[in-house]
Amino acid sequence: MIDFLKEHQTLILALLPIVFTFAGAWLGAWVQARGGVAQAAAAEKAAKTAATATLQAVREQAEHTAAEAQAAALREQRISAARNLIRADRVLGRVLHTMYREPDSDSTPSYDELLDAWGVVQLVAPAPLTDASSRVLAAAQGLQLLASQRGEAYRLHTQLTSVRSWMPEYHDARRAVEALDAFRAAYAADETNMMEVHDAASAALDRLTTLDSGQALALLNDCLEPEIGPLLTQSWREHKEALDTFVSCARTVLGVND
């Protein structure tokens, strides 16, 4: 081996620079290639991180937008539900007033509308507002019951008291009103002559040709109840208080309080 090196020393010395140059170039290329791979890996990692962050931001924005849209839709549903309940309640109120003035008035359709409106409130509103709507419904039910049971007698009694002195039926109407008032007072006081007073009121009503037997019976039966005036005043006051509470609660839920 040593002899070989000595014999070819000149050639080996000539080739060494070439070998070193080639090795240096190869090593530089290898290092550069490794650096490029690392740089590419770092770039890829950065890109993935940026893409993940962007996707997360987009997802959060989409979720936020969806939540806002859902909240806005729910708010509109609650506004509509509250408005419809108030509207239906007012319609029923007008019908109930009519039942004390006009015959054959029917509150069933308007009451059904109120019941439907109340049901929607129960579906979309929070607990405080549903409770307030239930108080409105209960007050309206009380008013409807009062109108259904005593509206006709109230209307007929008003007709009797509205007869003017120049009308032919004035004296008979006056005697009938006085007899009905006496019967009501006797029943309230549980007097012993109650049936006698009842018969007198019935006879006074029989003299009124404008009344049929059913109407006369309605007037007589109404005397078994307390005076309707104070009851009406109290019932409408309770209804107004319930409706005012509902409106105030709705404004709070919807965030429109002053």
Side-chain angles (χ1 to χ4, degrees), residues 77 80-82 84 114-125 130:
Q77 288 177 339
S80 177
N84 287 337
L114 176 62
L115 196 61
D116 289 342
W118 171 80
V120 175
V121 173
Q122 297 294 303
L123 289 175
V124 302
T130 60

Side-chain angles (χ1 to χ4, degrees), residues 3-248:
D3 292 339
F4 177 81
L5 291 175
K6 287 180 178 181
E7 290 176 1
H8 297 85
Q9 180 177 4
T10 302
L11 179 60
I12 293 172
L13 292 175
L15 292 174
L16 281 177
I18 297 174
V19 173
F20 288 149
T21 299
F22 175 78
W26 180 85
L27 181 61
W30 181 81
V31 172
Q32 185 176 6
R34 290 295 301 271
V37 172
Q39 185 177 5
E44 182 181 4
K45 182 178 180 180
K48 288 182 178 179
T49 302
T52 301
T54 301
L55 181 61
Q56 181 64 23
V58 170
R59 184 182 294 112
E60 291 177 354
Q61 180 62 36
E63 291 175 351
H64 179 69
T65 301
E68 286 186 339
Q70 184 178 7
L74 180 59
R75 187 174 187 274
E76 288 301 316
Q77 288 177 339
R78 288 173 173 175
I79 291 174
S80 177
R83 181 177 63 246
N84 287 337
L85 179 72
I86 295 171
R87 179 196 58 78
D89 180 77
R90 289 175 176 170
V91 171
L92 177 62
R94 288 194 293 270
V95 173
L96 294 180
H97 280 298
T98 303
M99 292 177 69
Y100 291 98
R101 301 191 306 269
E102 301 176 7
D104 302 323
S105 299
D106 185 10
S107 62
T108 301
S110 55
Y111 174 74
D112 288 343
E113 287 189 13
L114 176 62
L115 196 61
D116 289 342
W118 171 80
V120 175
V121 173
Q122 297 294 303
L123 289 175
V124 302
L129 192 56
T130 60
D131 292 343
S133 70
S134 295
R135 289 193 290 272
V136 172
L137 180 65
Q141 287 173 333
L143 286 170
Q144 186 196 34
L145 183 63
L146 192 61
S148 299
Q149 292 179 343
R150 306 188 61 185
E152 182 182 18
Y154 180 93
R155 178 181 60 83
L156 295 171
H157 193 275
T158 301
Q159 288 180 356
L160 292 178
T161 58
S162 299
V163 175
R164 297 294 180 258
S165 59
W166 48 268
M167 295 180 177
E169 65 271 22
Y170 171 75
H171 293 292
D172 287 340
R174 177 58 56 186
R175 280 192 292 267
V177 170
E178 292 174 351
L180 288 171
D181 291 344
F183 177 40
R184 187 188 302 276
Y187 182 83
D190 195 20
E191 296 180 0
T192 56
N193 64 336
M194 190 178 359
M195 288 305 301
E196 180 181 335
V197 180
H198 167 272
D199 293 342
S202 179
L205 291 174
D206 287 342
R207 287 193 290 269
L208 295 173
T209 58
T210 56
L211 296 179
D212 59 32
S213 59
Q215 293 172 330
L217 182 60
L219 285 167
L220 288 171
N221 288 338
D222 193 68
C223 293
L224 307 180
E225 303 291 339
E227 285 285 351
I228 193 173
L231 287 178
L232 272 177
T233 300
Q234 179 182 354
S235 296
W236 281 110
R237 181 176 63 250
E238 292 174 352
H239 173 265
K240 182 179 182 303
E241 291 172 353
L243 186 60
D244 289 345
T245 299
F246 175 79
V247 172
S248 177

